[in-house]
Amino acid sequence: MTQHTSPALFELRDITVEYGDFTAVDHVSLSLPRGEAIGIVGESGAGKSTLARVAAGLIAPATGQVLLDGEPLAPIHRTREQHRRIQMVFQNPDSSLNPSHSIYRILSEGILLHRTLGASGVRPSRAAITQRCLELLNMVGLSDADIFSRRPQAFSGGQRQRIAIARALAVNPDVLIADEPTSALDVSVQHEILDLLAALRQTQGLSLMLITHDLGVANALCDGIMVMRGGTSVVHKSTEEFFADPGPQYAQDLLAAARSVSITPQSV
Ligand code: ADP
């Protein structure tokens, strides 16, 4: 990872999350420079999703701060603009796409709410919104305008995840938090979604916080890796350094286990 003197685009500082008297995330920090991707890796229950939810402003931490361009954000009640800049894609698109809304409505809602088209504060024309929705569908590899009137159930899991990604991109975010974005999908389409995220990172200049239990996926997509275990950060290094020397025994074991199921580090 490159060294930066300016504040990181996105930073989590000393985050702790408690569910009752159980500490799910314990004083975890990370910073994400603009355009880079960090993989948060670890076994189930490590606290990865909880950390992602704090980053997205969905739950409030007991300690710590989330910063954007060096500015601390309110834990939950962020401004509309701050919400726009940090978008999230969930494991299961069904939980995030309203089944009774058309794809057109799903994609255009964010555009209308955040006024990301046309002059600032002015409601964009229907033609401009339609054009933008088509562009978004193209970006995620869905190019048929017939799609607009259909509802999420008309699509496969992989297509639904593409729609969820298109919706996140509709508001031109700076940071995309993707929480196990392929775990609910058939193996055959997992690679397609990962390739899509990798391509979008390049073309849209997105910074990516990728939650995954799969070190091979983190290796293929991310500049840096943070391993979590029991709510703590075990190691946080550049991906290159991690694969050369994972550091603590737990990280070594995780890497050995990943290699034994023949994850090839160079491919997604
Ligand atoms: P991961 O994403 O790494 O699988 P999670 O962040 O989902 O881990 O969960 C971390 C720990 O917090 C787990 O032990 C989980 O059971 C617990 N946990 C997660 N959500 C809640 C909740 N809403 N209430 C109580 N415990 C929770």
Side-chain angles (χ1 to χ4, degrees), residues 218-231:
N219 181 45
L221 260 74
C222 298
D223 306 287
I225 290 181
M226 185 172 94
V227 174
M228 287 186 73
R229 182 192 197 193

Side-chain angles (χ1 to χ4, degrees), residues 19 22 24 43-51 53:
Y19 295 118
F22 173 72
E43 294 169 305
S44 179
K48 307 181 298 295
S49 286
T50 299
L51 191 67
R53 290 202 288 269

Side-chain angles (χ1 to χ4, degrees), residues 110-128:
I111 298 172
L112 284 167
L113 179 66
H114 294 284
R115 294 283 197 264
T116 48
L117 268 183
S120 135
V122 176
R123 188 185 169 95
S125 69
R126 185 162 172 103

Side-chain angles (χ1 to χ4, degrees), residues 78-89:
R78 295 179 176 172
T79 66
R80 187 177 284 182
E81 175 63 1
Q82 290 164 349
H83 273 298
R84 181 190 70 73
R85 294 183 63 192
I86 303 166
Q87 291 289 310
M88 186 155 177
V89 171

Side-chain angles (χ1 to χ4, degrees), residues 113-162:
L113 179 66
H114 294 284
R115 294 283 197 264
T116 48
L117 268 183
S120 135
V122 176
R123 188 185 169 95
S125 69
R126 185 162 172 103
I129 296 172
T130 303
Q131 178 60 34
R132 174 67 176 152
C133 289
L134 275 173
E135 223 174 82
L136 288 163
L137 288 177
N138 254 311
M139 256 184 224
V140 299
L142 298 169
S143 54
D144 188 350
D146 290 355
I147 289 173
F148 279 165
S149 59
R150 290 152 72 190
R151 286 176 170 62
Q153 295 92 317
F155 298 89
S156 68
Q159 288 171 324
R160 284 201 287 269
Q161 195 59 298
R162 286 175 190 271

